[in-house]
Amino acid sequence: MGENEGRNDLRMPNEDEVFAEVTNMLGANRVTVRCADGTERTARIPGRMQKRVWIRENDIVLVEPWDWQDEKADITWRYENAEAEQLREEGHLQ
């Protein structure tokens, strides 16, 4: 029984990505997210994730804010519930 038992290696954000929680589904492949930096952004679900990765309210995702419009972002990754709990336990999320 090691201290890392049950722990998965999770995808962590790159330098241009932030953690976010989905707060509202807007339709047309768009969602509202509350980012870890305190900003509310409109994020879009890219075509490669549509119908493959289902995103719901309260999901933890990684978003990449746009360079030219900071209030918008692209979703790059969705964490499963167990992975989100692990991130909270390790102190990456509040």
Side-chain angles (χ1 to χ4, degrees):
M1 301 282 172
E3 65 182 50
N4 288 335
E5 184 170 323
R7 183 189 182 284
N8 295 323
D9 288 332
L10 301 178
R11 183 181 188 282
M12 298 306 286
N14 296 332
E15 62 278 348
D16 54 349
E17 295 175 329
V18 293
F19 289 114
E21 180 180 0
V22 177
T23 57
N24 193 12
M25 304 296 290
L26 300 176
N29 300 317
R30 300 199 186 288
V31 297
T32 303
V33 295
R34 184 176 52 251
C35 296
D37 60 7
T39 308
E40 288 270 338
R41 291 185 170 96
T42 301
R44 77 181 172 156
I45 303 169
R48 69 180 178 273
M49 293 179 79
Q50 294 171 15
K51 296 193 171 114
R52 292 180 182 91
V53 178
W54 292 98
I55 295 177
R56 297 175 299 274
E57 288 185 17
N58 301 321
D59 278 350
I60 302 299
V61 295
L62 281 180
V63 296
E64 183 176 347
W66 291 0
D67 295 336
W68 60 96
Q69 259 183 312
D70 193 49
E71 70 273 2
K72 295 188 180 177
D74 288 328
I75 293 177
T76 57
W77 188 262
R78 176 184 159 263
Y79 291 99
E80 301 288 332
N81 289 338
E83 295 170 335
E85 276 304 311
Q86 181 179 332
L87 288 170
R88 284 187 185 94
E89 289 170 7
E90 294 176 359
H92 300 293
L93 299 174
Q94 300 169 356

